[in-house]
Amino acid sequence: MRLKAIALAAIPAAFLGVMASAPSASAWSAGNCPVGQFCVWPEFWYGDTDMAPSLTTDEEWSGSAPGHIFYNHTSRDVTMTYVVAEGELQGRTYTTCVNKVSGSYFTMPMHVTDVTWREDDGTPCY
């Protein structure tokens, strides 16, 4: 019985861990991300910014770009892969869809590692 109670208590804790690293659902402004580009910024900002993005791309990309904010200023949905930044260590890897002409922010430091154009399979991109 104690084992069942411990297992049930672990489910909300695991859920909160995933939610803390997920991108926020709120909209974000394009800042200084040029039209036709996907951008990631290494620090938080609000409104307009002159901070240089850590990533600006108009094609599929892979590597490592520190990120707190991202914006898809293209006409296509993007699949973005990112990793939780845990000091010098690499944390868990996540993948999300980023709608065209929209952006958001991470609730904790991340590294964006892959950006690909999303194939339209009829499923919504959130």
Side-chain angles (χ1 to χ4, degrees):
M1 188 61 131
R2 280 176 54 183
L3 186 56
K4 184 176 180 180
I6 291 170
L8 289 175
I11 292 170
F15 178 74
L16 288 174
V18 170
M19 291 307 294
S21 62
S24 166
S26 67
W28 206 262
S29 74
N32 58 356
C33 185
V35 173
Q37 302 285 314
F38 180 86
C39 300
V40 176
W41 289 268
E43 301 291 334
F44 284 110
W45 55 267
Y46 188 79
D48 290 325
T49 184
D50 59 356
M51 180 189 309
S54 55
L55 169 64
T56 303
T57 186
D58 61 356
E59 58 189 21
E60 294 189 346
W61 173 89
S62 65
S64 182
H68 280 277
I69 296 172
F70 56 92
Y71 196 86
N72 181 5
H73 214 175
T74 74
S75 60
R76 300 171 68 182
D77 294 342
V78 167
T79 298
M80 176 179 67
T81 303
Y82 58 97
V83 177
V84 177
E86 296 180 355
E88 298 296 317
L89 302 175
Q90 182 173 338
R92 294 185 59 178
T93 300
Y94 300 92
T95 300
T96 191
C97 182
V98 182
N99 286 324
K100 58 188 170 194
V101 193
S102 70
S104 192
Y105 60 94
F106 294 112
T107 58
M108 55 195 312
M110 302 288 166
H111 285 273
V112 174
T113 58
D114 194 62
V115 174
T116 57
W117 302 122
R118 183 173 187 267
E119 297 299 322
D120 187 4
D121 60 2
T123 59
C125 177
Y126 299 106

